[in-house]
Amino acid sequence: VDARSINMNIDKQQSMTTDPRLKHVKPGSQTRIYLVGAGGTGKTFLKDLYVKETQHHGDVAKIDEVARPLMKEMGICQDDLNDCNLFWDLQTNIAKRQFEQERKKDISHSSGTIISDRSVIDALVYALLRFPNGLPMNDVPEQLDARQTAFSGLSLLLGCREAAKEAVDRYQDSLIVLVNPFNGNDAIDDKIRLVMSNTELDAFTSKCREVLNLLDIKFIDLKVKSPLGRLAILREATKRSTS
């Protein structure tokens, strides 16, 4: 598919320039894009499509998904993810690796565009869904409100409150795109990542939406199913953030 030939008019009833999904996008010298959401929803494909289209028109840096390489490094396979202790250990390592990559890209690409396949928020959502009664090693008071609980979970994953605050500040100043599931689970079982049912995909998306709102992180709730339609919205949002 030649993304450059896409017709921007994907919605005949509403101009992209007035799309309410893009109202919060603010201009800046550096554009960070984070594609968040459940596995198998097309984030990697969207990232690759965006990079392919834009790499000849400016400085674009990408952060690839860190989970799969990390699982290989740790010698973890799909079946191991049933072990709650190992699952928690994996999520903390994913969160820290992702945070490290984000920080490095911020330094090396202080201008231009950075697009990331996932964020630390994804690891937090996976953990919250696996441990609905409270995250492991969490000794914070039970009287915390929902926002404080979400921030506490982020702090727990990253190892300290300072890192959690840096992550939240970064995301509040970035273009966050929540990629919704397709109408069916079209993800191929690669024997590495978690394979989710349609119900689990919806639960992840809902929890991700909840966490982003709790942490006051504005985002585009991307419900368009067409990859080219998604790209058109992402392109327009990026244009707004750099103009």
Side-chain angles (χ1 to χ4, degrees):
V1 177
D2 184 357
R4 290 169 294 184
S5 66
I6 299 172
N7 184 351
M8 283 291 293
N9 187 22
I10 63 169
D11 188 344
K12 295 181 179 179
Q13 296 180 343
Q14 183 172 24
S15 167
M16 290 293 298
T17 57
T18 59
D19 193 323
R21 287 169 293 206
L22 309 180
K23 289 190 298 183
H24 69 277
V25 179
K26 306 297 182 184
S29 60
Q30 181 192 60
T31 301
R32 306 187 199 93
I33 304 169
Y34 291 93
L35 305 178
V36 304
T41 57
K43 297 182 301 299
T44 301
F45 185 77
L46 179 56
K47 178 206 68 181
D48 292 342
L49 200 59
Y50 179 84
V51 170
K52 179 181 178 182
E53 181 190 64
T54 59
Q55 62 185 352
H56 301 300
H57 305 289
D59 185 16
V60 180
K62 63 178 182 176
I63 301 175
D64 292 325
E65 182 189 8
V66 303
R68 293 190 207 192
L70 193 54
M71 286 178 69
K72 291 181 179 179
E73 288 178 27
M74 297 174 67
I76 297 175
C77 63
Q78 191 180 65
D79 291 340
D80 295 329
L81 299 177
N82 294 319
D83 182 319
C84 288
N85 291 329
L86 193 58
F87 183 86
W88 171 250
D89 189 43
L90 175 63
Q91 296 312 314
T92 58
N93 278 281
I94 288 174
K96 290 173 182 175
R97 177 70 62 85
Q98 175 70 30
F99 179 82
E100 177 184 296
Q101 292 299 312
E102 293 174 5
R103 179 180 275 178
K104 285 181 178 178
K105 292 297 183 185
D106 269 3
I107 294 172
S108 63
H109 287 76
S110 57
S111 62
T113 301
I114 301 169
I115 183 166
S116 177
D117 190 342
R118 290 191 178 277
S119 72
V120 177
I121 299 298
D122 294 87
L124 176 60
V125 172
Y126 274 116
L128 291 172
L129 290 175
R130 174 60 70 92
F131 304 102
N133 296 321
L135 300 179
M137 303 173 63
N138 192 358
D139 57 358
V140 297
E142 295 183 359
Q143 64 266 26
L144 295 181
D145 62 26
R147 184 188 184 284
Q148 292 171 327
T149 299
F151 184 81
S152 174
L154 202 59
S155 302
L156 203 59
L157 280 172
L158 291 173
C160 65
R161 293 179 60 84
E162 291 77 14
K165 184 179 185 306
E166 180 181 330
V168 172
D169 288 346
R170 179 180 295 116
Y171 298 147
Q172 288 177 341
D173 194 35
S174 300
L175 182 60
I176 308 296
V177 181
L178 175 57
V179 183
N180 283 243
F182 295 102
N183 292 326
N185 188 1
D186 298 323
I188 298 173
D189 184 0
D190 57 9
K191 306 302 180 183
I192 300 176
R193 64 182 169 189
L194 286 172
V195 178
M196 293 181 166
S197 66
N198 292 333
T199 300
E200 290 169 330
L201 288 169
D202 289 338
F204 187 101
T205 306
S206 295
K207 178 61 73 172
C208 198
R209 192 178 290 120
E210 175 188 334
V211 169
L212 289 169
N213 283 321
L214 285 171
L215 295 175
D216 297 321
I217 299 171
K218 295 181 179 180
F219 62 96
I220 295 175
D221 205 352
L222 191 60
K223 297 181 180 180
V224 173
K225 307 302 180 184
S226 161
L228 300 186
R230 290 175 169 185
L231 179 62
I233 292 172
L234 185 56
R235 183 201 292 117
E236 181 63 23
T238 307
K239 186 187 299 183
R240 282 184 170 225
S241 69
T242 56
S243 61

